[in-house]
């Protein structure tokens, strides 16, 4: 994915420097050539040898180590970089660049590069929230430097708040997205639903379905890679959340409805790949239902049809995409759903076909448009299908 890409990775002196090792390893596995520059402070946390072994390239730490070469070195790396990632970026390093200070190899090279620079700040919460740091971040953003916001959580210093370096996978995903040639969804908010809802019967049992979330998660991952602001509303799954995606976990259809309605107001595009239970038990037993007679009758009541409601409140220019999981009469049923729910497009899958539908890595879909066109996609991975769907949605944007 990152073949032929040169990434210069700046590691500044913070405890999160240990996470930079995994970031380098993951980027390397994706085919990138990684050149690490460490500040002197960073070498107190991780040795240059670790980065040299993981990246397979020499690690630069001191501008004056090789006096004959340094001038060439920082310009060479600055010019060579397709992307510059600084992780962790300390308050000190951010402050230096914001104030035009270039007094070590890392700050000098950042100042000399024309490549996109991504800072991933990590520091104590009070430091991060300090108005001086915030002003520096704001100022650098206005010059085009980009920031991967730190996460909120328990920090190494024992304080809870913003300042934690995001997980390496999320940072790598952001790098992949930044280097992806297709950035056609920048500035668009996409709400995607994935997985199945579960409807409780009692404290230990529920009615569910076979959705794994793979289809919706693939859509979320690829939309984020193409620059979209993605909100993923997901039923229970074992899948990791894709990087750069805001995940809202829900269990029941009612919870999904609440999340979808609250997120959809300012959404440009809504894609409903989730398998939502049409009915739920009318009464949820407070205690585990005891084994009694030969049969057990459970009365179900209707769940809200979220997509139908979205179609009714749809804003002008909002794009609404549904999925249809069918076992018979695929096209007619999907067409009917598209019309009834006021959709722009519906992705229909015959879930009885081998390699299609629930809990598979592949799918076989037909894409139906509101103008009557129907496109048949051959069996392909859910990854590829999601890319195709995103290409098709561009026709409406
Ligand atoms: O998750 P995977 O294992 O990867 O499987 C993918 C998938 C099979 C779940 C996916 O490809 C798919 O077909 N999703 C839609 C499943 C479904 O519930 O289809 P439906 O025909 O019952 O519903 C039609 C549309 O209305 C769907 O977009 C659904 O999200 C929506 N709906 C349905 C019922 C309801 N109460 N509210 C809804 O919003």
């Amino acid at each position: 994915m990152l073949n032929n890409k040169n990434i210069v990775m700046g590691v500044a002196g913070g405890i999160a420097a240990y996470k930079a090792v995994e970031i380098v390893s993951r980027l390397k596995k994706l085919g990138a050539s990684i050149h690490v520059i460490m500040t002197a402070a960073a070498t107190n946390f991780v040795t240059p040898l670790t980065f040299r072994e993981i990246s397979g390239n020499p690690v630069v730490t001191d501008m004056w180590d090789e006096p004959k070469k340094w001038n060439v070195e920082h310009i060479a790396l600055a010019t060579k970089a397709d992307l510059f990632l600084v992780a962790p970026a300390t308050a000190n390093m951010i402050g230096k660049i914001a104030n035009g200070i270039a007094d070590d190899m890392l700050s000098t090279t950042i100042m000399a590069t024309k490549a996109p620079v991504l800072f991933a700040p990590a520091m104590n919460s009070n430091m991060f929230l300090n108005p001086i740091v915030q002003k520096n971040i704001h100022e650098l953003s206005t010059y085009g430097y980009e920031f991967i916001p730190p996460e909120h959580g328990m920090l190494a210093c024992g304080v809870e708040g913003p300042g934690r370096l995001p997980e390496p996978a999320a940072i790598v995903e952001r790098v992949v997205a930044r280097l992806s040639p297709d950035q056609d969804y920048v500035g668009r908010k996409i709400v995607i639903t994935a997985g199945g809802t579960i409807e409780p019967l009692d404290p230990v049992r529920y009615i569910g379905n076979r959705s794994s979330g793979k289809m919706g998660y693939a859509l979320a991952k690829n939309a984020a890679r193409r620059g979209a602001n993605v909100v993923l509303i997901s039923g229970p799954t074992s899948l990791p959340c894709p990087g750069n995606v805001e995940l809202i976990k829900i269990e029941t259809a009612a919870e999904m409805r609440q999340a979808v309605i609250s997120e959809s107001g300012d959404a440009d595009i809504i894609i409903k790949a989730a398998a939502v239970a049409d009915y739920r038990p009318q009464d949820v037993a407070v205690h585990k239902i005891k084994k009694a007679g030969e049969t057990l009758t459970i009365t179900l009541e209707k769940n809200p049809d979220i997509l139908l409601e979205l179609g009714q409140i749809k804003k002008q220019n909002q794009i609404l995409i549904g999925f249809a999981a069918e076992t018979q009469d695929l096209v007619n049923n999907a067409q009917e759903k598209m019309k009834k729910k006021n959709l722009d497009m519906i992705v229909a899958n015959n879930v009885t076909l081998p390699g299609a539908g629930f809990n598979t890595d592949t799918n076989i879909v037909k894409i139906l448009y509101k103008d009557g066109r129907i496109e048949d996609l051959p069996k392909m991975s859910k990854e590829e299908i999601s890319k195709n769907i995103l290409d098709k949605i561009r026709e409406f944007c």
Side-chain angles (χ1 to χ4, degrees), residues 83-307:
L83 183 132
F84 217 111
L85 172 67
V86 187
T90 54
N92 183 48
M93 185 53 63
I94 292 167
K96 278 193 201 181
I97 306 300
N99 289 284
I101 297 169
D103 66 349
D104 61 14
M105 190 64 178
L106 182 52
S107 53
T108 309
T109 316
I110 294 172
M111 299 284 284
T113 191
K114 286 191 166 172
V117 179
L118 295 186
F119 285 104
M123 64 196 78
N124 163 275
S125 300
N126 294 339
M127 230 171 158
F128 178 69
L129 296 173
N130 185 309
I132 301 171
V133 173
Q134 289 299 313
K135 182 185 113 280
N136 287 338
I137 289 177
H138 176 74
E139 238 168 60
L140 286 174
S141 304
T142 62
Y143 291 129
Y145 291 93
E146 296 170 38
F147 285 83
I148 303 173
E151 287 178 353
H152 191 105
M154 183 58 77
L155 306 176
C157 53
V159 172
E160 196 174 345
R164 198 170 65 181
L165 192 74
E167 285 313 306
I171 293 182
V172 168
E173 194 53 49
R174 179 72 185 263
V175 169
V176 171
R178 190 61 184 77
L179 288 171
S180 152
D182 298 322
Q183 287 293 297
D184 47 355
Y185 279 96
V186 171
R188 293 179 201 274
K189 176 175 175 181
I190 309 191
V191 174
I192 298 172
T193 68
T197 63
I198 59 173
E199 309 295 334
L201 280 164
D202 68 15
V204 297
R205 304 183 182 94
Y206 58 79
I207 298 176
N209 63 63
R210 298 178 194 277
S211 172
S212 62
K214 286 179 184 172
M215 191 67 245
Y217 276 58
L219 279 160
K221 180 166 116 185
N222 285 295
R225 279 194 180 160
R226 287 163 76 155
N229 300 325
V230 180
V231 177
L232 176 63
I233 299 170
S234 170
T237 87
S238 56
L239 301 174
C241 177
N244 296 328
V245 166
E246 184 187 335
L247 176 67
I248 300 177
K249 291 182 182 175
I250 55 86
E251 291 200 334
T252 63
E255 288 168 7
M256 178 173 277
R257 180 193 165 273
Q258 198 180 15
V260 169
I261 297 299
S262 91
E263 287 296 333
S264 64
D266 59 349
D268 300 293
I269 300 157
I270 304 165
I271 311 177
K272 286 222 72 240
V276 186
D278 288 322
Y279 292 89
R280 65 177 169 230
Q282 195 167 49
D283 299 304
V284 180
V286 180
H287 297 289
K288 186 179 169 194
I289 299 168
K290 291 278 176 216
K291 188 163 39 175
E294 288 305 308
T295 59
L296 173 69
T297 304
I298 294 161
T299 307
L300 302 177
E301 65 183 6
K302 218 170 183 184
N303 260 331
D305 189 323
I306 309 164
L307 195 51

